[in-house]
Amino acid sequence: MGLLLDSHRRRALARLLLRLNTPLCVVSYLAGVFWFLGLAFSPLTQNTYISENAMGSTMVEEQFEGGEHALNFARDFTAQRRKTGSLPVAWLERTMRSVGLEVYSQSFSRTLPFPDETHERYMVSGTNVYGILRAPRAASTESLVLVVPSSPETLNAQAVGLLLSLAAYFRSQIYWAKDIIFLVTEHDLLGTEAWLEAYHDVNITGMQSSALQGRAGAIQAAVALELNSDVVTSLDVAVEGLNGQLPNLDLLNLFHAFCQKEALLCTLQGKLQHSDWASLGGSLHGLQTLMLMVLRQASGRPHGPHGLFLRYHVEAITLRGINSFRQYKYDMTAVGKTLEGMFRKLNNLLERLHQSYFFYLLPSLSRFVSIGLYMPAIGFLLFIPGLKALELWVKLNKADFGPEEQLGPNHSLVQPFGQDARGVALTPLVAPVLISQATGLALYLLPVMGQHVAAQHFPVAEAEAVVLTLLAIYVAGLALPHSTHRVVSSTPRGPDSGWMALKLVALLYLAIQLGCISLFNFSLGFLLAVTMVPAAALTQPSGPRFLYAVLLVLVSPGATLLGSLFLWRELQEAPLTLAEGWQLFLSALAQGVLDHHLYGALLFPLLSLGLYPCWLLFWNVLFWK
Amino acid sequence: MLSKCVVDCPELCLAYLTSFPSPSVWQDQAEQLFKSGHTNNWAVLVCTSRFWFNYRHVANTLSVYRSVKRLGIPDSHIVLMLADDMACNPRNPKPATVFSHKNMELNVYGDDVEVDYRSYEVTVENFLRVLTGRVPPSAPRSKRLLSDDRSNVLIYMTGHGGNGFLKFQDSEEITNVELADAFEQMWQKRRYHEMLFIIDTCQGASMYERFYSPNVMALASSQVGEDSLSHQPDLAIGVHLMDRYTFYVLEFLEEIHPASQANMNDLFQVCPKSLCVSTPGHRTDLFQRNPQNVLITDFFGSVRKVELTTETVSLKPDLSSMGYSHLKCHEDEELAEPLSYAAQLPVAQIIHQKPKPKEWHPPGGFILGLWALILMVFFKTYGIKHMKYVF
């Protein structure tokens, strides 16, 4: 007979599994954590290189000299902005036309679901202005975009000036094979989203935007620029996009190649590049940078306009100019030359960037970890719920076999297919699952829907009402086990099988969710797995209940968010006090809900509709009577 | 020498010999005139790459085209196959030009380039059809290789290649076996007298490994396992302009003029490893003549050998009444019967001169094992007593 059909062998296997389960889980967890920590060290990282043949190894001599011109434009822009109070549309149109571009503008408006405290806006309306440089000898089938987001807080005047100066320079060249779109957006990310939706003729976030009059073909690549000072000491690059999507690594490699050529100081995650990678210090520095990238990717926010381009399969990065207290400064000409070189290289592309990696982690600008090397970390972690579920399944079936084993070893047992009637009873589980899911749904819908009601009854503003409702429902879920016990019927067989069945279902649910999340956003999946999996595996009604309860609360999605905020600021060497941390946490909650409604970020629905109900199931298991 | 002369063109030779009083001087000059044995030159120049970043392959081909035209081969005898998307590429900062030298000293595109197979017409099928002559009836004259058995053909190929293959325009490949077979078809259809094959790609030597037709000399820019490198980038245009091997070949060719006496050995010395980084290779075992006696202009130029004389030459129509006892024509008997084309040249002696000694290997383990198994099974089943019936 086969290995699994023979009852003797099955029992032997089951005994083996039960005996080895705990050590195997511990080993697996440690393996996953150490694999992740080892990602910054040499055998798992590779040097970056440009994979696209068309972008090649040859550099051109950059001849951009319009640094002063850019600063003049910037000063004019600032003056005009102050005069009009919002984006000086007429001036921008006039200037772009004088430079020689085809100018169009687009107006958009959006009422936010609730007022945004950080940006201080509620009903937003604005205008985007863009100019198209047509390729002199090519059909307008492909285009590149240079986008500068301008908002009331960050004017990006110097970036606008550089954009206009570059446009003037590019206009006099004849070697462009793709159109170049110079885009200035208002209200930064909102304007960019409006423009992108109108360009691709879709409406996915409920933005009201006017149709675009002028288009330039399929966008191959985009560069977003943020400059707020006349001189810069370094250029910071941001790659993480909406929902943790990343641009093709070749675009980052291109930027890095030009950093090296122009001898610019380039940073990643605000951190300088360590000079020696083989040493321990270098690797630890890389680990720090890697952790920052993981935290930013896990948050799923678009960290710049480039994050919104990625959804439309347009590779994009954001370059930020930082002006710190260093001695050596770079002027606009140097930054302009870098951009000129990048655009000239992108001009040589024949197809979209696809040769290099789309999934990677960056310990530094010159090293990366590819998906094949970092996935085993989460594989090890997700092995644990699977093992635990198997153990529970075996225990549940053993509980049925227990009395029959005393009948004698020769008693033939029924084939496995008939076991469902005697194995896990699923009907008592329906109630907890449904109630948890309903709580999750309430967590997702009620805060935004009920903000006006809450604001009426309590002396809080709408934004605070949303956040407080969120917290209230979250905490109210903790009290559920007491109220739902009346609904849950006691099970006919063994006293333990009820919670074991629930835990089995919860473990499988957790494993599937985390697995699916880690497929498109490894960082989020890993972060949640590293916290939730051990607590989920350990939870049981017997034993030190209070300890388990504390552990479970500490790993709940909300607490993970709080903890990761502290960790993030700690890694950036700007640690938070508890009060500051709490304030940041509250604003992060509000931003998360807003991001979901404004740009379609998935963190809020995933946590509220997916992970929170799962966590509630474990909470129910813990307080099983 | 003289015997060869008699074999090739008996009538003229005899006319020469009988008309002039001093045979030795004229014998030497006659030898000179018919030394190489060809009467016309053809060139097939192929660039197998397209796209802007393969600018250098087009520049390579066009440079060889220019040299070949300068040395005398007319456009009607050149089949040029190019993707031709460089000069008018929107990315070209100098439209309508293709430069082969940094600082844009030399525009090889010019205004008199005649591209015969352009853009997507450069395919393996078209290339083989050109070589073997199997073009459709509608193909214009400029797209045909109308060579005969007295033509010297120069074939130059450049692009991206590997061990045993050459990539055509990113969509197909030609293997060295195919190329060798195409040359054999050319030989059997009397489509060339002698052929020079030059290839400038990575691992180029693998392309001439399989040749087996006579009178083919081959040069390659790199050995198997080596890459051919490009020469110099131009910072204004933004691409590499030429490959190293062709660059140095071109430098060499620029010093050749139509009356030059430089021979093939000089061409073999072009681009040593110090300049080229890769090791150029050549193959002359299929070629009948000594490379030292082969002039560069035999392949790259189209030299018309003309002798001016003020003497009148009277050609007697009847050969049999001539008395030529003062010379010995050893091949009298052979002149009587017409020789087939292939039999004129003792190919067998050229190619199979040194039969490769076939090394004896002990019978393979598999065969031994198989027989051992069969024997074991037989004896196990039927017992050892049956052995006496076997022996």
Side-chain angles (χ1 to χ4, degrees), chain A residues 52-55 57-61 63 137-138 142 174-178 344 347-350, chain B residues 51-54 87-96 160 233-240:
Chain A
E52 175 67 58
N53 211 358
M55 292 209 297
S57 58
T58 314
M59 306 289 194
V60 290
E61 198 66 55
Q63 276 151 8
R137 288 173 286 142
E142 297 168 343
I174 57 166
Y175 47 67
W176 297 110
K178 300 179 205 289
R344 199 126 181 227
N347 184 40
N348 285 348
L349 282 178
L350 296 152
Chain B
F51 306 135
W52 176 246
F53 57 89
N54 290 322
C88 297
N89 197 310
R91 296 171 182 82
N92 194 346
K94 310 278 169 195
H160 289 290
D234 182 292
L235 294 176
I237 301 181
V239 285
H240 288 278

Side-chain angles (χ1 to χ4, degrees), chain A residues 173-185:
Chain A
Q173 308 303 319
I174 57 166
Y175 47 67
W176 297 110
K178 300 179 205 289
D179 293 350
I180 306 185
I181 303 179
F182 296 91
L183 171 65
V184 180
T185 60

Side-chain angles (χ1 to χ4, degrees), chain A residues 138-380:
Chain A
S140 299
T141 48
E142 297 168 343
S143 54
L144 303 167
V145 179
L146 178 63
V147 56
V148 170
S150 180
S151 66
E153 309 92 50
T154 41
L155 219 51
N156 279 331
Q158 279 81 6
V160 173
L162 188 59
L163 176 136
L164 292 168
S165 175
L166 274 174
Y169 173 70
F170 283 177
R171 184 73 177 83
S172 60
Q173 308 303 319
I174 57 166
Y175 47 67
W176 297 110
K178 300 179 205 289
D179 293 350
I180 306 185
I181 303 179
F182 296 91
L183 171 65
V184 180
T185 60
E186 196 170 4
H187 299 293
D188 57 81
L189 291 180
L190 280 174
T192 317
E193 183 62 30
W195 188 82
L196 280 169
E197 284 189 5
Y199 195 88
H200 292 95
D201 215 10
V202 292
N203 192 347
I204 41 185
T205 60
M207 185 89 62
Q208 284 112 32
S209 48
S210 63
L212 289 185
Q213 300 299 319
R215 279 190 174 75
I219 307 180
Q220 306 287 88
V223 176
L225 191 61
E226 292 180 15
L227 287 172
N228 275 300
S229 51
D230 281 358
V231 288
V232 290
T233 53
S234 60
L235 275 180
D236 190 48
V237 61
V239 288
E240 304 83 7
L242 188 64
N243 294 328
Q245 199 175 354
L246 297 169
N248 197 297
L249 190 56
D250 260 343
L251 198 50
L252 191 74
N253 297 338
L254 182 69
F255 171 68
H256 182 55
F258 275 99
C259 275
Q260 286 179 319
K261 187 184 179 215
E262 305 282 334
L264 280 179
L265 192 62
C266 293
T267 61
L268 183 68
Q269 317 291 345
K271 286 201 169 314
L272 294 171
Q273 306 303 298
H274 208 268
S275 47
D276 180 16
W277 286 107
S279 69
L280 186 65
S283 298
L284 284 177
H285 188 87
L287 185 62
Q288 239 183 339
T289 317
L290 189 90
M291 279 304 304
L292 275 171
M293 180 174 173
V294 162
L295 287 172
R296 281 172 80 154
Q297 199 185 2
S299 72
R301 309 194 64 198
H303 293 95
H306 74 284
L308 298 171
F309 276 87
L310 292 173
R311 186 180 12 210
Y312 301 92
H313 200 191
V314 175
E315 313 305 331
I317 52 173
T318 301
L319 302 180
R320 286 194 186 101
I322 315 268
N323 194 8
S324 65
F325 296 106
R326 290 183 155 263
Q327 282 283 66
Y328 197 78
K329 312 260 185 196
Y330 301 97
D331 61 350
M332 285 292 118
T333 313
V335 180
K337 277 191 176 165
T338 313
L339 283 170
E340 178 199 350
M342 283 178 74
F343 270 85
R344 199 126 181 227
K345 275 298 184 77
L346 289 170
N347 184 40
N348 285 348
L349 282 178
L350 296 152
E351 311 164 287
R352 286 181 192 273
L353 287 166
H354 66 284
Q355 301 278 9
S356 191
Y357 298 88
F358 286 101
F359 296 94
Y360 50 88
L361 288 176
L362 297 170
S364 90
L365 269 180
S366 56
R367 300 179 79 80
F368 74 101
V369 187
S370 76
I371 182 169
L373 291 171
Y374 68 59
M375 269 310 198
I378 196 144
F380 282 124

Side-chain angles (χ1 to χ4, degrees), chain B residues 287-317:
Chain B
F287 207 76
Q288 272 200 300
R289 297 189 283 151
N290 189 344
Q292 188 131 15
N293 299 333
V294 180
L295 298 179
I296 299 285
T297 51
D298 280 352
F299 289 102
F300 285 89
S302 182
V303 184
R304 298 272 179 270
K305 289 194 170 67
V306 176
E307 279 289 337
L308 294 178
T309 174
T310 51
E311 313 263 340
T312 44
V313 179
S314 57
L315 298 169
K316 306 270 174 27

Side-chain angles (χ1 to χ4, degrees), chain B residues 20-37:
Chain B
F20 294 97
S22 47
S24 55
V25 172
W26 287 112
Q27 275 174 36
D28 289 338
Q29 285 194 324
E31 277 169 42
Q32 277 292 105
L33 205 62
F34 298 108
K35 200 153 134 178
S36 60

Side-chain angles (χ1 to χ4, degrees), chain B residues 59 127 163 213 349 360-361:
Chain B
F127 175 60
N163 191 355
S213 316
Q349 291 158 26
W360 180 83
H361 295 283

